[in-house]
Amino acid sequence: MSIKVLGISTSPRQNSNSDLLLRQALAGAESSGAETEYIRLGDLKIAPCIECNSCYKQGTCIVEDDYQMLSSKMLEADRLILATPIFFMTFCAQAKTLIDRCQCLWAHKYVLKQPLITTSRDRRAMVIAVGGTKSKKMFDSISLTAKYFIDVLEMNYAANLFVNNIDAPGRIKQHPSALNEAFRLGRELVSTDTPPHEKPINVELT
Ligand SMILES: Cc1cc2nc3c(=O)[nH]c(=O)nc-3n(C[C@H](O)[C@H](O)[C@H](O)COP(=O)(O)O)c2cc1C
């Protein structure tokens, strides 16, 4: 059975830099025989968490929208690649909205103490983030939030691809190595030759 990779693109704009990197990473995964699925968050309707805490009792979210479908896909996938632009030093609102809705998975796991994934599976995740300025500090907040998000999903945090100083739409195409690195990391993400790393591989490009 081939490895299933889910790529979630969260940038709201066309010709998005993080989206272009995500597509390359998925192409890399496919080149190694993985089955890939690409989802653009902007095509779905996912409302913000309303902090009703209903999930503390049921382990599921009472707000019904496209979250339920996407959550099932995230739990089914063997690999997840989440791509975000940097907005105000962290994930864009679209990505953070999805992350916050996963509070019901956190409740399922840590309040109700029930396993999310019942069969033992090698699940790994990678994060792609692109910022417009020369700062690199913004990647600290991405790493921190991603660590807890990926833990809730019961995945191993395998890799980051962070690129700064890329602002205009599509500008990433002119970067000397970013698209190739995305392809390589996508291929590596689906390789089962090496066991998951303790810490994510960090590729930071300028
Ligand atoms: C609302 C908003 C906030 C932003 N905040 C930052 C920021 O804090 N740091 C930064 O380096 N770039 C910031 N940017 C620039 C984007 O990160 C940059 O344009 C990036 O290439 C967008 O990625 P995308 O093309 O995948 O959407 C911001 C852009 C917008 C629209």
Side-chain angles (χ1 to χ4, degrees):
M1 274 223 315
S2 58
I3 290 178
K4 278 191 192 169
V5 186
L6 176 65
I8 304 179
S9 181
T10 68
S11 172
R13 72 177 174 184
Q14 296 299 315
N15 203 15
S16 136
N17 295 305
S18 54
D19 183 87
L20 288 161
L21 290 175
L22 171 64
R23 288 169 186 271
Q24 278 297 109
L26 290 173
E30 258 180 48
S31 75
S32 285
E35 187 187 314
T36 64
E37 181 173 3
Y38 165 89
I39 288 187
R40 190 177 165 267
L41 217 49
D43 294 335
L44 305 182
K45 290 219 176 332
I46 298 186
C49 170
I50 55 170
E51 209 180 358
C52 64
N53 292 355
S54 299
C55 59
Y56 284 32
K57 293 189 189 113
Q58 303 152 10
T60 53
C61 185
I62 60 159
V63 179
E64 286 190 13
D65 54 17
D66 290 329
Y67 170 73
Q68 280 73 19
M69 173 275 291
L70 189 52
S71 165
S72 303
K73 285 185 187 287
M74 289 193 294
L75 295 177
E76 271 167 34
D78 302 301
R79 301 289 187 270
L80 174 71
I81 310 177
L82 182 65
T84 182
I86 298 287
F87 281 7
F88 280 86
M89 304 302 276
T90 190
F91 281 96
C92 67
Q94 290 78 359
K96 189 60 167 51
T97 298
L98 170 64
I99 292 170
D100 291 350
R101 285 292 294 284
C102 291
Q103 177 72 347
C104 61
L105 304 181
W106 177 87
H108 190 98
K109 230 178 122 160
Y110 292 111
V111 180
L112 303 175
K113 303 198 185 311
Q114 289 169 12
L116 278 178
I117 310 292
T118 44
T119 50
S120 159
R121 278 159 60 205
D122 174 9
R123 285 169 35 89
R124 306 185 195 186
M126 166 176 159
V127 175
I128 294 172
V130 181
T133 68
K134 287 187 177 161
S135 169
K136 287 187 175 176
K137 279 202 176 125
M138 56 227 181
F139 301 128
D140 293 346
S141 60
I142 295 286
S143 299
L144 188 63
T145 302
K147 180 176 187 296
Y148 288 94
F149 174 56
I150 291 167
D151 172 78
V152 161
L153 290 174
E154 295 187 0
M155 290 183 133
N156 178 272
Y157 192 174
N160 287 311
L161 175 57
F162 294 150
V163 192
N164 68 344
N165 205 15
I166 296 287
D167 206 8
R171 176 73 179 74
I172 199 76
K173 288 184 206 154
Q174 289 163 39
H175 191 282
S177 60
L179 293 170
N180 287 343
E181 277 298 286
F183 188 91
R184 183 184 69 79
L185 287 170
R187 220 175 38 205
E188 227 168 74
L189 187 69
V190 298
S191 162
T192 47
D193 295 345
T194 51
H197 298 273
E198 290 262 309
K199 283 189 174 175
I201 296 168
N202 244 337
V203 177
E204 283 195 19
L205 305 174
T206 296

PDB file of all heavy atoms in Angstrom, residues 54-83:
ATOM      1  N   SER A  54     -17.521  22.013  24.395  1.00  0.00           N
ATOM      2  CA  SER A  54     -18.340  20.801  24.219  1.00  0.00           C
ATOM      3  C   SER A  54     -17.451  19.596  23.956  1.00  0.00           C
ATOM      4  O   SER A  54     -17.788  18.478  24.340  1.00  0.00           O
ATOM      5  CB  SER A  54     -19.288  20.944  23.035  1.00  0.00           C
ATOM      6  OG  SER A  54     -20.158  21.996  23.251  1.00  0.00           O
ATOM      7  N   CYS A  55     -16.333  19.844  23.306  1.00  0.00           N
ATOM      8  CA  CYS A  55     -15.435  18.726  22.965  1.00  0.00           C
ATOM      9  C   CYS A  55     -14.835  18.075  24.212  1.00  0.00           C
ATOM     10  O   CYS A  55     -14.379  16.939  24.135  1.00  0.00           O
ATOM     11  CB  CYS A  55     -14.356  19.183  21.990  1.00  0.00           C
ATOM     12  SG  CYS A  55     -13.315  20.531  22.563  1.00  0.00           S
ATOM     13  N   TYR A  56     -14.843  18.782  25.334  1.00  0.00           N
ATOM     14  CA  TYR A  56     -14.321  18.187  26.574  1.00  0.00           C
ATOM     15  C   TYR A  56     -15.201  17.011  27.017  1.00  0.00           C
ATOM     16  O   TYR A  56     -14.751  16.131  27.730  1.00  0.00           O
ATOM     17  CB  TYR A  56     -14.276  19.211  27.706  1.00  0.00           C
ATOM     18  CG  TYR A  56     -13.142  20.214  27.616  1.00  0.00           C
ATOM     19  CD1 TYR A  56     -12.659  20.646  26.387  1.00  0.00           C
ATOM     20  CD2 TYR A  56     -12.556  20.725  28.764  1.00  0.00           C
ATOM     21  CE1 TYR A  56     -11.627  21.570  26.303  1.00  0.00           C
ATOM     22  CE2 TYR A  56     -11.526  21.653  28.692  1.00  0.00           C
ATOM     23  CZ  TYR A  56     -11.066  22.077  27.460  1.00  0.00           C
ATOM     24  OH  TYR A  56     -10.047  22.982  27.378  1.00  0.00           O
ATOM     25  N   LYS A  57     -16.467  17.053  26.584  1.00  0.00           N
ATOM     26  CA  LYS A  57     -17.381  15.969  26.973  1.00  0.00           C
ATOM     27  C   LYS A  57     -17.459  14.888  25.901  1.00  0.00           C
ATOM     28  O   LYS A  57     -17.567  13.717  26.191  1.00  0.00           O
ATOM     29  CB  LYS A  57     -18.788  16.528  27.208  1.00  0.00           C
ATOM     30  CG  LYS A  57     -18.838  17.449  28.409  1.00  0.00           C
ATOM     31  CD  LYS A  57     -20.270  17.813  28.764  1.00  0.00           C
ATOM     32  CE  LYS A  57     -20.268  18.906  29.812  1.00  0.00           C
ATOM     33  NZ  LYS A  57     -20.801  20.169  29.313  1.00  0.00           N
ATOM     34  N   GLN A  58     -17.438  15.351  24.611  1.00  0.00           N
ATOM     35  CA  GLN A  58     -17.674  14.384  23.523  1.00  0.00           C
ATOM     36  C   GLN A  58     -16.417  14.027  22.737  1.00  0.00           C
ATOM     37  O   GLN A  58     -16.414  13.035  22.013  1.00  0.00           O
ATOM     38  CB  GLN A  58     -18.657  14.982  22.515  1.00  0.00           C
ATOM     39  CG  GLN A  58     -19.980  15.384  23.122  1.00  0.00           C
ATOM     40  CD  GLN A  58     -20.613  16.535  22.347  1.00  0.00           C
ATOM     41  OE1 GLN A  58     -20.152  16.890  21.278  1.00  0.00           O
ATOM     42  NE2 GLN A  58     -21.662  17.117  22.894  1.00  0.00           N
ATOM     43  N   GLY A  59     -15.418  14.864  22.808  1.00  0.00           N
ATOM     44  CA  GLY A  59     -14.206  14.630  22.010  1.00  0.00           C
ATOM     45  C   GLY A  59     -14.383  15.002  20.556  1.00  0.00           C
ATOM     46  O   GLY A  59     -13.495  14.775  19.735  1.00  0.00           O
ATOM     47  N   THR A  60     -15.543  15.573  20.229  1.00  0.00           N
ATOM     48  CA  THR A  60     -15.781  16.015  18.848  1.00  0.00           C
ATOM     49  C   THR A  60     -16.257  17.468  18.868  1.00  0.00           C
ATOM     50  O   THR A  60     -16.704  17.962  19.903  1.00  0.00           O
ATOM     51  CB  THR A  60     -16.863  15.152  18.156  1.00  0.00           C
ATOM     52  OG1 THR A  60     -18.032  15.146  18.986  1.00  0.00           O
ATOM     53  CG2 THR A  60     -16.399  13.731  17.930  1.00  0.00           C
ATOM     54  N   CYS A  61     -16.195  18.103  17.705  1.00  0.00           N
ATOM     55  CA  CYS A  61     -16.560  19.522  17.613  1.00  0.00           C
ATOM     56  C   CYS A  61     -18.029  19.655  17.220  1.00  0.00           C
ATOM     57  O   CYS A  61     -18.482  18.973  16.300  1.00  0.00           O
ATOM     58  CB  CYS A  61     -15.666  20.197  16.577  1.00  0.00           C
ATOM     59  SG  CYS A  61     -15.934  21.970  16.478  1.00  0.00           S
ATOM     60  N   ILE A  62     -18.733  20.545  17.909  1.00  0.00           N
ATOM     61  CA  ILE A  62     -20.158  20.707  17.583  1.00  0.00           C
ATOM     62  C   ILE A  62     -20.385  21.688  16.420  1.00  0.00           C
ATOM     63  O   ILE A  62     -21.482  21.766  15.891  1.00  0.00           O
ATOM     64  CB  ILE A  62     -21.025  21.153  18.790  1.00  0.00           C
ATOM     65  CG1 ILE A  62     -20.550  22.491  19.342  1.00  0.00           C
ATOM     66  CG2 ILE A  62     -21.070  20.082  19.858  1.00  0.00           C
ATOM     67  CD1 ILE A  62     -21.628  23.201  20.142  1.00  0.00           C
ATOM     68  N   VAL A  63     -19.350  22.444  16.069  1.00  0.00           N
ATOM     69  CA  VAL A  63     -19.487  23.363  14.928  1.00  0.00           C
ATOM     70  C   VAL A  63     -19.358  22.520  13.660  1.00  0.00           C
ATOM     71  O   VAL A  63     -18.306  21.934  13.412  1.00  0.00           O
ATOM     72  CB  VAL A  63     -18.395  24.459  14.953  1.00  0.00           C
ATOM     73  CG1 VAL A  63     -18.520  25.386  13.751  1.00  0.00           C
ATOM     74  CG2 VAL A  63     -18.442  25.238  16.264  1.00  0.00           C
ATOM     75  N   GLU A  64     -20.423  22.436  12.894  1.00  0.00           N
ATOM     76  CA  GLU A  64     -20.381  21.564  11.718  1.00  0.00           C
ATOM     77  C   GLU A  64     -20.093  22.355  10.451  1.00  0.00           C
ATOM     78  O   GLU A  64     -20.868  23.237  10.074  1.00  0.00           O
ATOM     79  CB  GLU A  64     -21.699  20.794  11.601  1.00  0.00           C
ATOM     80  CG  GLU A  64     -21.736  19.707  12.651  1.00  0.00           C
ATOM     81  CD  GLU A  64     -22.865  18.737  12.487  1.00  0.00           C
ATOM     82  OE1 GLU A  64     -23.498  18.737  11.411  1.00  0.00           O
ATOM     83  OE2 GLU A  64     -23.110  17.987  13.443  1.00  0.00           O
ATOM     84  N   ASP A  65     -18.965  22.062   9.849  1.00  0.00           N
ATOM     85  CA  ASP A  65     -18.595  22.683   8.572  1.00  0.00           C
ATOM     86  C   ASP A  65     -17.584  21.754   7.899  1.00  0.00           C
ATOM     87  O   ASP A  65     -17.609  20.545   8.160  1.00  0.00           O
ATOM     88  CB  ASP A  65     -18.071  24.124   8.788  1.00  0.00           C
ATOM     89  CG  ASP A  65     -16.918  24.195   9.802  1.00  0.00           C
ATOM     90  OD1 ASP A  65     -16.314  23.141  10.080  1.00  0.00           O
ATOM     91  OD2 ASP A  65     -16.621  25.293  10.299  1.00  0.00           O
ATOM     92  N   ASP A  66     -16.681  22.289   7.099  1.00  0.00           N
ATOM     93  CA  ASP A  66     -15.740  21.403   6.397  1.00  0.00           C
ATOM     94  C   ASP A  66     -14.645  20.852   7.316  1.00  0.00           C
ATOM     95  O   ASP A  66     -13.826  20.038   6.875  1.00  0.00           O
ATOM     96  CB  ASP A  66     -15.109  22.144   5.208  1.00  0.00           C
ATOM     97  CG  ASP A  66     -16.113  22.382   4.094  1.00  0.00           C
ATOM     98  OD1 ASP A  66     -17.029  21.560   3.941  1.00  0.00           O
ATOM     99  OD2 ASP A  66     -15.987  23.400   3.373  1.00  0.00           O
ATOM    100  N   TYR A  67     -14.608  21.317   8.557  1.00  0.00           N
ATOM    101  CA  TYR A  67     -13.582  20.818   9.479  1.00  0.00           C
ATOM    102  C   TYR A  67     -13.664  19.299   9.643  1.00  0.00           C
ATOM    103  O   TYR A  67     -12.635  18.614   9.642  1.00  0.00           O
ATOM    104  CB  TYR A  67     -13.677  21.497  10.853  1.00  0.00           C
ATOM    105  CG  TYR A  67     -12.783  20.802  11.852  1.00  0.00           C
ATOM    106  CD1 TYR A  67     -11.400  20.950  11.786  1.00  0.00           C
ATOM    107  CD2 TYR A  67     -13.305  19.922  12.810  1.00  0.00           C
ATOM    108  CE1 TYR A  67     -10.557  20.260  12.649  1.00  0.00           C
ATOM    109  CE2 TYR A  67     -12.474  19.236  13.674  1.00  0.00           C
ATOM    110  CZ  TYR A  67     -11.100  19.408  13.585  1.00  0.00           C
ATOM    111  OH  TYR A  67     -10.272  18.720  14.432  1.00  0.00           O
ATOM    112  N   GLN A  68     -14.882  18.780   9.793  1.00  0.00           N
ATOM    113  CA  GLN A  68     -15.038  17.342  10.052  1.00  0.00           C
ATOM    114  C   GLN A  68     -14.396  16.519   8.920  1.00  0.00           C
ATOM    115  O   GLN A  68     -13.696  15.548   9.183  1.00  0.00           O
ATOM    116  CB  GLN A  68     -16.527  16.977  10.208  1.00  0.00           C
ATOM    117  CG  GLN A  68     -17.115  17.284  11.586  1.00  0.00           C
ATOM    118  CD  GLN A  68     -17.340  18.760  11.868  1.00  0.00           C
ATOM    119  OE1 GLN A  68     -17.389  19.584  10.954  1.00  0.00           O
ATOM    120  NE2 GLN A  68     -17.486  19.118  13.136  1.00  0.00           N
ATOM    121  N   MET A  69     -14.636  16.929   7.684  1.00  0.00           N
ATOM    122  CA  MET A  69     -14.067  16.216   6.532  1.00  0.00           C
ATOM    123  C   MET A  69     -12.527  16.325   6.553  1.00  0.00           C
ATOM    124  O   MET A  69     -11.816  15.338   6.389  1.00  0.00           O
ATOM    125  CB  MET A  69     -14.650  16.835   5.246  1.00  0.00           C
ATOM    126  CG  MET A  69     -14.080  16.356   3.948  1.00  0.00           C
ATOM    127  SD  MET A  69     -12.579  17.209   3.447  1.00  0.00           S
ATOM    128  CE  MET A  69     -13.162  18.851   3.063  1.00  0.00           C
ATOM    129  N   LEU A  70     -12.035  17.540   6.810  1.00  0.00           N
ATOM    130  CA  LEU A  70     -10.582  17.742   6.779  1.00  0.00           C
ATOM    131  C   LEU A  70      -9.902  17.014   7.945  1.00  0.00           C
ATOM    132  O   LEU A  70      -8.820  16.440   7.788  1.00  0.00           O
ATOM    133  CB  LEU A  70     -10.256  19.243   6.800  1.00  0.00           C
ATOM    134  CG  LEU A  70      -8.798  19.603   6.559  1.00  0.00           C
ATOM    135  CD1 LEU A  70      -8.239  18.970   5.299  1.00  0.00           C
ATOM    136  CD2 LEU A  70      -8.617  21.113   6.493  1.00  0.00           C
ATOM    137  N   SER A  71     -10.558  17.037   9.085  1.00  0.00           N
ATOM    138  CA  SER A  71     -10.009  16.347  10.252  1.00  0.00           C
ATOM    139  C   SER A  71      -9.870  14.843   9.966  1.00  0.00           C
ATOM    140  O   SER A  71      -8.846  14.224  10.284  1.00  0.00           O
ATOM    141  CB  SER A  71     -10.935  16.621  11.432  1.00  0.00           C
ATOM    142  OG  SER A  71     -10.686  15.753  12.456  1.00  0.00           O
ATOM    143  N   SER A  72     -10.900  14.251   9.338  1.00  0.00           N
ATOM    144  CA  SER A  72     -10.809  12.820   8.985  1.00  0.00           C
ATOM    145  C   SER A  72      -9.629  12.572   8.057  1.00  0.00           C
ATOM    146  O   SER A  72      -8.902  11.589   8.212  1.00  0.00           O
ATOM    147  CB  SER A  72     -12.061  12.340   8.261  1.00  0.00           C
ATOM    148  OG  SER A  72     -13.169  12.581   9.027  1.00  0.00           O
ATOM    149  N   LYS A  73      -9.451  13.462   7.101  1.00  0.00           N
ATOM    150  CA  LYS A  73      -8.331  13.285   6.156  1.00  0.00           C
ATOM    151  C   LYS A  73      -6.990  13.384   6.883  1.00  0.00           C
ATOM    152  O   LYS A  73      -6.051  12.641   6.594  1.00  0.00           O
ATOM    153  CB  LYS A  73      -8.397  14.329   5.034  1.00  0.00           C
ATOM    154  CG  LYS A  73      -9.474  14.034   4.001  1.00  0.00           C
ATOM    155  CD  LYS A  73      -9.391  15.038   2.864  1.00  0.00           C
ATOM    156  CE  LYS A  73     -10.556  14.880   1.899  1.00  0.00           C
ATOM    157  NZ  LYS A  73     -10.457  13.678   1.060  1.00  0.00           N
ATOM    158  N   MET A  74      -6.908  14.329   7.845  1.00  0.00           N
ATOM    159  CA  MET A  74      -5.639  14.482   8.579  1.00  0.00           C
ATOM    160  C   MET A  74      -5.344  13.243   9.416  1.00  0.00           C
ATOM    161  O   MET A  74      -4.202  12.851   9.576  1.00  0.00           O
ATOM    162  CB  MET A  74      -5.678  15.735   9.471  1.00  0.00           C
ATOM    163  CG  MET A  74      -5.616  17.022   8.680  1.00  0.00           C
ATOM    164  SD  MET A  74      -5.290  18.471   9.707  1.00  0.00           S
ATOM    165  CE  MET A  74      -6.769  18.546  10.682  1.00  0.00           C
ATOM    166  N   LEU A  75      -6.391  12.648   9.957  1.00  0.00           N
ATOM    167  CA  LEU A  75      -6.184  11.456  10.795  1.00  0.00           C
ATOM    168  C   LEU A  75      -5.904  10.201   9.959  1.00  0.00           C
ATOM    169  O   LEU A  75      -5.218   9.299  10.414  1.00  0.00           O
ATOM    170  CB  LEU A  75      -7.384  11.235  11.723  1.00  0.00           C
ATOM    171  CG  LEU A  75      -7.596  12.343  12.770  1.00  0.00           C
ATOM    172  CD1 LEU A  75      -8.855  12.083  13.588  1.00  0.00           C
ATOM    173  CD2 LEU A  75      -6.398  12.498  13.693  1.00  0.00           C
ATOM    174  N   GLU A  76      -6.414  10.194   8.741  1.00  0.00           N
ATOM    175  CA  GLU A  76      -6.178   9.044   7.844  1.00  0.00           C
ATOM    176  C   GLU A  76      -4.787   9.076   7.206  1.00  0.00           C
ATOM    177  O   GLU A  76      -4.224   8.037   6.881  1.00  0.00           O
ATOM    178  CB  GLU A  76      -7.185   9.075   6.688  1.00  0.00           C
ATOM    179  CG  GLU A  76      -8.492   8.347   6.980  1.00  0.00           C
ATOM    180  CD  GLU A  76      -9.516   8.700   5.922  1.00  0.00           C
ATOM    181  OE1 GLU A  76      -9.140   8.903   4.740  1.00  0.00           O
ATOM    182  OE2 GLU A  76     -10.682   8.802   6.305  1.00  0.00           O
ATOM    183  N   ALA A  77      -4.264  10.300   7.033  1.00  0.00           N
ATOM    184  CA  ALA A  77      -3.015  10.447   6.266  1.00  0.00           C
ATOM    185  C   ALA A  77      -1.816   9.836   6.990  1.00  0.00           C
ATOM    186  O   ALA A  77      -1.766   9.810   8.219  1.00  0.00           O
ATOM    187  CB  ALA A  77      -2.754  11.932   6.007  1.00  0.00           C
ATOM    188  N   ASP A  78      -0.862   9.366   6.197  1.00  0.00           N
ATOM    189  CA  ASP A  78       0.404   8.904   6.772  1.00  0.00           C
ATOM    190  C   ASP A  78       1.376  10.072   6.911  1.00  0.00           C
ATOM    191  O   ASP A  78       2.280  10.045   7.735  1.00  0.00           O
ATOM    192  CB  ASP A  78       1.048   7.847   5.863  1.00  0.00           C
ATOM    193  CG  ASP A  78       0.125   6.655   5.658  1.00  0.00           C
ATOM    194  OD1 ASP A  78      -0.241   6.030   6.669  1.00  0.00           O
ATOM    195  OD2 ASP A  78      -0.246   6.375   4.500  1.00  0.00           O
ATOM    196  N   ARG A  79       1.188  11.069   6.048  1.00  0.00           N
ATOM    197  CA  ARG A  79       2.063  12.243   6.079  1.00  0.00           C
ATOM    198  C   ARG A  79       1.199  13.485   5.882  1.00  0.00           C
ATOM    199  O   ARG A  79       0.245  13.468   5.089  1.00  0.00           O
ATOM    200  CB  ARG A  79       3.087  12.207   4.933  1.00  0.00           C
ATOM    201  CG  ARG A  79       3.998  10.984   4.918  1.00  0.00           C
ATOM    202  CD  ARG A  79       5.015  10.999   6.051  1.00  0.00           C
ATOM    203  NE  ARG A  79       5.989   9.920   5.927  1.00  0.00           N
ATOM    204  CZ  ARG A  79       5.834   8.698   6.459  1.00  0.00           C
ATOM    205  NH1 ARG A  79       4.733   8.393   7.131  1.00  0.00           N
ATOM    206  NH2 ARG A  79       6.786   7.793   6.313  1.00  0.00           N
ATOM    207  N   LEU A  80       1.606  14.569   6.576  1.00  0.00           N
ATOM    208  CA  LEU A  80       0.914  15.850   6.408  1.00  0.00           C
ATOM    209  C   LEU A  80       1.949  16.916   6.071  1.00  0.00           C
ATOM    210  O   LEU A  80       3.010  16.963   6.694  1.00  0.00           O
ATOM    211  CB  LEU A  80       0.201  16.223   7.724  1.00  0.00           C
ATOM    212  CG  LEU A  80      -0.455  17.605   7.763  1.00  0.00           C
ATOM    213  CD1 LEU A  80      -1.694  17.649   6.865  1.00  0.00           C
ATOM    214  CD2 LEU A  80      -0.854  17.979   9.192  1.00  0.00           C
ATOM    215  N   ILE A  81       1.634  17.746   5.097  1.00  0.00           N
ATOM    216  CA  ILE A  81       2.481  18.914   4.826  1.00  0.00           C
ATOM    217  C   ILE A  81       1.586  20.142   4.935  1.00  0.00           C
ATOM    218  O   ILE A  81       0.597  20.275   4.204  1.00  0.00           O
ATOM    219  CB  ILE A  81       3.145  18.859   3.428  1.00  0.00           C
ATOM    220  CG1 ILE A  81       3.838  17.517   3.192  1.00  0.00           C
ATOM    221  CG2 ILE A  81       4.140  20.012   3.287  1.00  0.00           C
ATOM    222  CD1 ILE A  81       4.466  17.358   1.807  1.00  0.00           C
ATOM    223  N   LEU A  82       1.926  21.011   5.871  1.00  0.00           N
ATOM    224  CA  LEU A  82       1.130  22.221   6.107  1.00  0.00           C
ATOM    225  C   LEU A  82       1.950  23.421   5.651  1.00  0.00           C
ATOM    226  O   LEU A  82       3.069  23.624   6.123  1.00  0.00           O
ATOM    227  CB  LEU A  82       0.800  22.331   7.601  1.00  0.00           C
ATOM    228  CG  LEU A  82      -0.071  23.514   8.016  1.00  0.00           C
ATOM    229  CD1 LEU A  82      -1.475  23.411   7.420  1.00  0.00           C
ATOM    230  CD2 LEU A  82      -0.171  23.602   9.538  1.00  0.00           C
ATOM    231  N   ALA A  83       1.388  24.190   4.727  1.00  0.00           N
ATOM    232  CA  ALA A  83       2.126  25.339   4.183  1.00  0.00           C
ATOM    233  C   ALA A  83       1.439  26.634   4.572  1.00  0.00           C
ATOM    234  O   ALA A  83       0.221  26.767   4.428  1.00  0.00           O
ATOM    235  CB  ALA A  83       2.203  25.226   2.659  1.00  0.00           C
TER     236      ALA A  83
END
